[in-house]
Amino acid sequence: METLQFKTLIIVSNRQRFRRPGETKNHAVEKSTRKITTTKMIPRRLLLHSFGFIPVLLNVPLIAEALEMNEPEVIRTQKLDSGVRIQDIIDGEGKEAREGDLVEVNYVCRRSNGYFVHSTVDQFSGESSPVILPLNEKEIIKGLKEVIIGMKAGGKRRALIPPSVGYVNENLGPIPDEFGPRRSLLSHVKEPLIFEVQLLKVL
């Protein structure tokens, strides 16, 4: 177990000491008090626990497990020939999206390790800014088009999109207008991306 060094200052006072002949009272008091510096080895875990850090540092996996438990149940899964893996979370009941349609969607994009990249839904306020996408490969990444086609309005899907059918062209959507989010997204185009898509409308 890793330990940290702590220097402890101990004041030892001898109240029973008598003055020697010719020695002043102040001098006797000064000499009767000795400062002893000792070095103690304190276990790192015990030290962190005393400051309340242990619950935060050691329970990160437990927090992650709790979050996973709150995720919606997956209705069905499928793998397409392109390598796209799709999980249906909610079956919509509205109009079905087809090739060439215009659709309005909200989405969250993450890296395959779960790290956030971009979303049309604000993570703090919950406000959404849906985007309108044409379902054709000249304007939208092929993988996302394959995910949306066949969905019905009100439906929700999660998909893992490999880079071969992802952002092979920087002009393909969806892509954020803001410089920071745009740069963040484009820095990960060579790796698989996870999209969670909610189909709001088929226009």
Side-chain angles (χ1 to χ4, degrees):
M1 179 182 297
E2 187 179 355
T3 58
L4 298 179
Q5 292 187 357
F6 251 61
K7 288 186 177 181
T8 306
L9 186 64
I10 303 175
I11 308 297
V12 179
S13 178
N14 184 358
R15 299 180 180 273
Q16 303 297 326
R17 188 179 185 279
F18 296 96
R19 282 181 289 168
R20 295 177 180 176
E23 189 178 49
T24 65
K25 181 179 180 180
N26 291 338
H27 184 63
V29 172
E30 180 180 353
K31 294 186 69 175
S32 67
T33 302
R34 295 183 295 114
K35 294 182 179 180
I36 303 174
T37 302
T38 62
T39 300
K40 293 185 177 181
M41 305 301 288
I42 300 177
R44 183 182 183 89
R45 181 172 296 181
L46 178 61
L47 176 64
L48 293 176
H49 183 72
S50 66
F51 286 100
F53 292 147
I54 285 294
V56 176
L57 296 178
L58 299 184
N59 290 338
V60 170
L62 298 180
I63 295 172
E65 291 177 6
L67 291 175
E68 290 177 0
M69 291 175 63
N70 293 329
E71 287 188 354
E73 184 178 352
V74 176
I75 300 173
R76 69 185 68 86
T77 61
Q78 55 180 312
K79 181 179 179 180
L80 307 182
D81 293 338
S82 62
V84 175
R85 295 176 179 270
I86 299 175
Q87 294 178 330
D88 282 285
I89 299 173
I90 298 175
D91 276 334
E93 297 181 353
K95 185 178 178 181
E96 182 176 330
R98 301 182 182 277
E99 179 95 27
D101 285 342
L102 277 177
V103 295
E104 183 179 42
V105 301
N106 272 324
Y107 70 88
V108 179
C109 175
R110 296 185 177 90
R111 298 175 63 187
S112 57
N113 58 12
Y115 282 98
F116 176 85
V117 177
H118 183 252
S119 175
T120 58
V121 181
D122 188 280
Q123 298 181 85
F124 301 101
S125 67
E127 295 181 359
S128 65
S129 303
V131 295
I132 295 177
L133 301 172
L135 297 182
N136 69 73
E137 295 178 21
K138 294 182 179 179
E139 300 182 64
I140 184 177
I141 59 174
K142 180 180 178 181
L144 187 58
K145 184 201 77 169
E146 292 180 345
V147 172
I148 297 175
I149 288 178
M151 290 181 69
K152 293 182 179 181
K156 194 174 192 178
R157 281 180 172 176
R158 183 188 298 118
L160 179 66
I161 299 177
S164 58
V165 286
Y167 289 94
V168 296
N169 184 331
E170 292 185 4
N171 295 321
L172 296 175
I175 195 165
D177 295 326
E178 302 85 354
F179 175 76
R182 181 186 181 94
R183 181 179 179 182
S184 175
L185 177 61
L186 293 179
S187 66
H188 301 299
V189 295
K190 294 184 179 180
E191 59 186 84
L193 294 174
I194 296 174
F195 275 85
E196 190 165 299
V197 186
Q198 183 178 21
L199 178 58
L200 303 177
K201 296 178 183 178
V202 178
L203 305 175

